[in-house]
Amino acid sequence: MSEYPPCPKCQSTYAYPDGAMLVCPECGHEWAPAGEDESTGGDTEHSDPAAPSEVLDANGNPLQDGDTVVVIKDLKIKGSSTVVKGGTKVKNIRLVDGDHDIDCKIPGIGAMGLKSQFVKKA
């Protein structure tokens, strides 16, 4: 394990090679072994401004934390017989990374994650 440098994000010593990159199994960070400082700085700069500017609604409008959106089609909720009806207004959204871009609280249903492709800015 000592043959690879520790993870630049969490300092884990369990990094392993994956092709030309090194991967940390604890935090999931990937970096190039030769240019740790360059790729770490690039990843940090790229990920911070990218989250708000890359999340677009169904019409291509950028979304921000605190926006109000409207669901554009009926959405079935996995593991439940409930449906989020098209036209449901969702206030005070929070943008997150992952498969579902939006964390929100839907009236009558509760907290859940939505994909930005199924909402439009109100």
Side-chain angles (χ1 to χ4, degrees), residues 6-98:
C7 174
K9 276 195 172 181
C10 70
Q11 300 305 314
S12 170
T13 57
Y14 300 112
Y16 63 90
D18 185 21
M21 304 292 281
L22 291 176
V23 179
C24 175
E26 291 185 10
C27 70
H29 181 65
E30 296 182 7
W31 73 97
E36 288 179 51
D37 296 333
E38 293 172 13
S39 69
T40 305
D43 287 347
T44 305
E45 289 174 21
H46 179 63
S47 64
D48 290 341
S53 64
E54 283 187 6
V55 178
L56 304 175
D57 70 357
N59 296 330
N61 298 320
L63 297 173
Q64 297 178 345
D65 286 344
D67 279 349
T68 299
V69 295
V70 177
V71 178
I72 60 171
K73 67 180 242 177
D74 290 358
L75 300 173
K76 293 181 182 178
I77 299 174
K78 276 189 179 177
S80 173
S81 61
T82 354
V83 174
V84 177
K85 292 288 188 180
T88 303
K89 187 181 275 191
V90 182
K91 297 178 181 178
N92 199 19
I93 65 169
R94 189 178 72 220
L95 302 179
V96 294
D97 289 333

